[in-house]
Amino acid sequence: MNVIVANKYETMLQDLNIDVIKRLNGEFEVDDLIAQFENFFFQRMILDITAIKDYKDIKNLQKLSISLDMDKVILLLDDSPEGTSSEYLSKLISMGIYNFTRNVEGIMYLYEHPNNYRDVAHIHQLDTNTGPNILERYVPTQGVRIIGVKNVTKQSGATTLIYMMKKQLEKNYDVKAIEVDKRDFMYFRDKDLISSSSNEVGGLLAKYSSSDIILVDVNESAVAESLVHTVIYLIEPSIIKLNRMMMLGPKVLKNLEGKKVILNQSLLSSKDVLDFEYESRLKIFYNMPPLDEREKEIMALNRFLVRLGFDRQQIGEEEEKKRSILGLFNL
């Protein structure tokens, strides 16, 4: 369910075609909004920027961004000089606020297609001094980056996903891939896909440490899982696989809280994903549809890789169309 906080644009927001669990009208101190919603579960918040007292002071938006999950907030901007300036928007982006617009069409677009940094990077002025540069959150430090992939639901596609990630990444990076305690990589016939045991994986990671990226299919190896920098947990959200998972491990979802969970081979819509988040109490990092490995450029996979921090990956977006929809065309 969704929250609407409105002031100047109350009339505009009155007839949005979304389910609303809570609606506030008026002007509010940032601290009051935080107190009401910091521990309040909602799928999306539509926030009229004029409902924030002293919103032109960017520090108030910064305070909000620290306390609330801004991935779930769609900010409706006004037409003030501050709200229309690239400098102001750049400061919002530096604080992790990516979903902003000036019209109803933009709200509904962002409701179904929330932005990530890549979508707003063309606005971001990197010399802005408000908070850390958002790229610092995603770009790894110098040296190899080791990413593990692990099935949560049985046979969720970790091995194939690693193979496809490697194919996409090796256009721009030096990539190796290792599977642990299995021999499924042999079917792909790629010399840079290496099968290993738990006892050998540490040595292999050291051997290939000059690479940019090492992808690891950790399978059930606790050793491998402990050696990677990041683990991506795959859930295939079909009814039969979810039910099987819950029967075998009733606490499995609880154990995934705060971790990078993606829905793999997923046919869920954006609304379905929000429902899944509500029911599971998990934050889904990415919703990955079924992929065609014969495609040369797989857009959904590239978006995922960019979100992981691999910003050399190229994504062909209909950027001008999107900017027009969001009411940001003249920035």
Side-chain angles (χ1 to χ4, degrees):
M1 299 293 282
N2 305 288
V3 170
I4 294 179
V5 182
N7 185 33
K8 178 180 176 180
Y9 299 108
E10 178 183 354
T11 302
M12 181 191 298
L13 298 177
Q14 200 163 18
D15 298 319
L16 286 178
N17 186 26
I18 60 174
D19 295 325
V20 178
I21 192 173
K22 190 177 182 69
R23 187 186 296 267
L24 298 179
N25 296 313
E27 188 179 53
F28 305 91
E29 297 280 354
V30 168
D31 289 338
D32 293 336
L33 291 174
I34 292 170
Q36 288 204 51
F37 295 110
E38 188 173 18
N39 297 311
F40 185 89
F41 185 84
F42 57 87
Q43 293 174 317
R44 289 281 191 272
M45 175 187 288
I46 316 301
L47 177 57
D48 176 352
I49 196 170
T50 67
I52 304 170
K53 189 173 182 180
D54 296 328
Y55 68 90
K56 294 179 183 179
D57 181 352
I58 199 68
K59 292 180 181 178
N60 285 317
L61 277 297
Q62 185 179 36
K63 188 184 294 186
L64 198 70
S65 72
I66 292 170
S67 301
L68 299 184
D69 182 355
M70 299 309 291
D71 287 344
K72 295 183 177 181
V73 176
I74 300 173
L75 192 62
L76 180 62
L77 301 173
D78 68 346
D79 54 2
S80 67
E82 291 83 2
T84 57
S85 74
S86 295
E87 181 182 0
Y88 187 84
L89 296 182
S90 188
K91 290 177 179 179
L92 295 181
I93 294 166
S94 290
M95 293 182 287
I97 301 173
Y98 306 148
N99 295 298
F100 43 79
T101 182
R102 294 198 179 91
N103 53 51
V104 171
E105 292 79 10
I107 291 171
M108 297 311 299
Y109 182 89
L110 291 171
Y111 186 84
E112 297 291 342
H113 309 89
N115 281 338
N116 56 37
Y117 177 74
R118 183 78 178 193
D119 298 310
V120 293
H122 61 282
I123 303 171
H124 196 199
Q125 299 173 358
L126 295 181
D127 58 349
T128 301
N129 293 319
T130 302
N133 188 308
I134 193 66
L135 287 176
E136 292 175 2
R137 291 202 226 159
Y138 294 106
V139 178
T141 55
Q142 289 185 352
V144 64
R145 185 171 176 191
I146 307 171
I147 296 179
V149 182
K150 181 180 176 69
N151 289 331
V152 178
T153 52
K154 191 173 179 61
Q155 296 179 329
S156 301
T159 305
T160 301
L161 181 62
I162 285 177
Y163 167 67
M164 298 179 76
M165 288 171 65
K166 178 184 173 295
K167 283 210 311 182
Q168 291 293 108
L169 286 167
E170 65 188 3
K171 299 171 185 177
N172 299 297
Y173 300 89
D174 178 14
V175 189
K176 296 291 188 294
I178 301 170
E179 66 172 344
V180 184
D181 296 334
K182 284 196 175 182
R183 292 284 182 260
D184 293 334
F185 274 176
M186 63 184 291
Y187 301 113
F188 294 115
R189 298 182 179 179
D190 184 328
K191 64 181 176 60
D192 291 325
L193 296 174
I194 303 145
S195 298
S196 169
S197 68
S198 292
N199 293 332
E200 300 168 333
V201 65
L204 284 172
L205 292 175
K207 178 180 178 180
Y208 296 115
S209 61
S210 61
S211 304
D212 296 320
I213 305 161
I214 303 176
L215 305 172
V216 182
D217 187 350
V218 301
N219 289 303
E220 301 303 319
S221 173
V223 173
E225 194 167 348
S226 69
L227 292 174
V228 303
H229 298 148
T230 303
V231 182
I232 298 162
Y233 296 90
L234 305 188
I235 293 178
E236 184 179 331
S238 65
I239 296 297
I240 188 169
K241 291 206 172 183
L242 289 174
N243 287 344
R244 177 184 173 87
M245 176 187 72
M246 295 306 295
M247 288 178 66
L248 296 175
K251 295 183 179 180
V252 65
L253 294 179
K254 181 70 175 175
N255 294 335
L256 292 173
E257 289 182 3
K259 298 181 179 179
K260 279 188 172 64
V261 178
I262 81 167
L263 302 181
N264 196 38
Q265 304 176 131
S266 169
L267 296 173
L268 299 189
S269 66
S270 297
K271 185 178 184 304
D272 293 333
V273 173
L274 291 173
D275 291 339
F276 184 90
E277 288 185 326
Y278 178 80
E279 292 169 3
S280 66
R281 294 297 190 268
L282 293 178
K283 173 64 179 174
I284 299 304
F285 184 75
Y286 197 79
N287 183 37
M288 184 77 74
L291 303 176
D292 182 356
E293 63 186 71
R294 295 175 180 83
E295 289 185 24
K296 292 184 178 179
E297 291 293 338
I298 306 173
M299 303 297 289
L301 182 56
N302 262 342
R303 291 190 187 98
F304 171 63
L305 296 173
V306 168
R307 188 164 187 195
L308 282 176
F310 302 115
D311 56 346
R312 296 180 202 167
Q313 298 304 115
Q314 299 299 312
I315 298 180
E317 301 284 356
E318 297 182 54
E319 191 59 53
E320 296 302 325
K321 178 181 178 181
K322 181 171 181 179
R323 290 175 67 187
S324 177
I325 289 172
L326 299 181
L328 302 173
F329 199 87
N330 295 319
L331 293 178

